[in-house]
Amino acid sequence: MRPVQTPLSKQKRSWPEGSLEVAVALQRHLAIGDRDWHAFKSQRPRRGAEQLAAALVLLLRADDPGAPQSSDARRQAIELVEHGLGWLKAELSDPGCPSHRPAPATTLSAD
């Protein structure tokens, strides 16, 4: 008895079975949580990997690989990939926590 295979035409229109679950597990593993943010915020490759994994999850979850036209999910994934590349190329850096930045100086007007 031969194993049942998915027709080739259907294989071209969908992501491989289980790929979303694997991507979600990877993204969760790479995500930098609130408690770890200060420890890892300066590790640009780690931030880049986090963004790339998120892009992969978005793409697998909401895009049809057989669709000829770009979807919203595909465009958003591209933005995340570009953001991740910005971290990897050291074009981006941590802006710092708003709660740790000094308050902006105010100017008093003589009215």
Side-chain angles (χ1 to χ4, degrees), residues 15 19-30 49-63 73-74 76-77 80-81:
W15 298 108
S19 57
L20 176 60
E21 293 80 10
V22 172
V24 167
L26 176 64
Q27 192 276 330
R28 287 182 179 159
H29 190 68
L30 293 174
E50 179 187 40
Q51 297 298 298
L52 294 173
L56 181 60
V57 169
L58 183 62
L59 192 64
L60 293 173
R61 181 174 284 152
D63 188 62
R74 197 176 301 177
Q76 291 171 350
L80 282 171
V81 167

Side-chain angles (χ1 to χ4, degrees), residues 53-111:
L56 181 60
V57 169
L58 183 62
L59 192 64
L60 293 173
R61 181 174 284 152
D63 188 62
D64 176 6
Q69 303 260 336
S70 183
S71 66
D72 285 339
R74 197 176 301 177
R75 287 187 290 276
Q76 291 171 350
I78 290 168
E79 288 176 19
L80 282 171
V81 167
E82 290 172 348
H83 193 253
L85 287 174
W87 281 100
L88 292 174
K89 293 177 178 180
E91 296 169 352
L92 297 175
S93 61
D94 171 44
C97 293
S99 63
H100 292 121
R101 285 188 227 141
T106 56
T107 55
L108 300 175
S109 59
D111 287 337

